[in-house]
Amino acid sequence: MNWKPALATMNPYKPGRSIEDVQKEFDLVEIVKLASNENPYGCAPSVRRIMENPGVQVEMYPETSAPPLRTKLARKLGVEESNIILGNGSDDLITIICRAILNRESNTLMPTPSFPQYAHNAKIEGAEIREIPLVDGRHDLDRFLQEIDSSTAVIWICSPNNPTGDLIPSERLRKFLDAVPRTILTVLDEAYFEYITEESYENPIQWLSEYPNLMILRTFSKAYGLASFRIGYGIASSEIITELNKVRNPFNTSSLALLVAEQALADQKFIDECRMKNDHQRKRFEQFAQKHNLHINPSEANFVLIEVPMDADEATDKLLQQGFIVRSGNLLGTPNRVRVTIGSEEQNDGFFKAFESLLTNRG
């Protein structure tokens, strides 16, 4: 087979351990999965009710432009429907962007460590990947600007960043956007937007008219608790959306997923409650780290990156044996750290006890 040369240097995505797998290996009854930044509170009760009797005509293709959800999203966000594109999760939109713009003559800039799908999809298209290391867990925006040249086609910014949780201050982000040439698509990935509590944060959607090369990605997978339905969306100028729609597969979202996302969007009380609970539990992680003199990255997301007293893989295995699935920093480019999804109060109580056993064993 005549595979693309780039595939020889790549590996398939390595998922975290499943609950069933860990149960069998360690003969455990209760497992708490804190590895994939899912919402520990599930989805809104109104969403669960509609799933019981969705009334979807399963034999028919979904509406390719998803008019009801796009209409309600546009109304909520204060934009036109032509400013929105929907995808099979944010991953799908990242693929669409790379396929539409990148090639062997272009380069793309991204932070590292960050969401790996930026580099993964760019590599498939043959583009040169320029990774800009974080500085103290934060985007080095000055270095980004230094790396721009005439072949730069896409810049990826992740805020809050995965896996560090860093939120770029709005003032710094605007200054950066001012300096980026308008010929370069700047993608701001805000998958964890709903969890932000920083008072100085400015919603970048209000900047779209000022920065016609800006695109914002968001998702229903995190705070809305709809990860299994795979619905993400992008907001940009109608000119950008029109070009991307030429690449998008016509039926890239399912009828049931669109219906469920539409219902979830209507229940903002649930999102507000999740944000409040997450913020409270996030502070508990900070207090725990301070108590034990552990480094923890400031986070505006529903996860934290916390120091462990041993190799990250070793710590991950020991936590697994106690029924807690977390993500090893060795897989994320953050050695001696683990990324932990912020669970419910009960889940976090158990996690702190399990973590303290690591500290005890290491003196």
Side-chain angles (χ1 to χ4, degrees), residues 319-353:
L319 290 169
L320 271 179
Q321 294 170 31
Q322 299 182 72
F324 291 90
I325 306 175
V326 300
R327 197 71 162 162
S328 170
N330 290 345
L331 297 171
L332 304 171
T334 55
N336 302 116
R337 304 283 192 275
V338 293
R339 190 191 67 192
V340 186
T341 304
I342 299 170
S344 65
E345 182 167 4
E346 182 181 3
Q347 290 172 337
N348 295 333
D349 285 343
F351 174 78
F352 293 145
K353 289 180 181 178

Side-chain angles (χ1 to χ4, degrees), residues 106-110 118-120 122-124 127-131:
S106 61
N107 67 65
T108 178
L109 279 54
M110 64 199 66
Y118 312 142
H120 179 87
K123 185 176 288 188
I124 292 172
E128 177 193 351
I129 297 167
R130 298 184 180 180
E131 295 183 308

Side-chain angles (χ1 to χ4, degrees), residues 67 74 87 123 151 175 197 290 295-296 313 317 336:
K123 185 176 288 188
S151 297
K175 184 178 179 182
T197 58
Q290 184 177 16
H295 183 272
I296 188 170
D313 286 347
D317 288 341
N336 302 116

Side-chain angles (χ1 to χ4, degrees), residues 3-11:
W3 303 109
K4 284 188 173 182
L7 298 189
T9 65
M10 302 172 68
N11 295 309

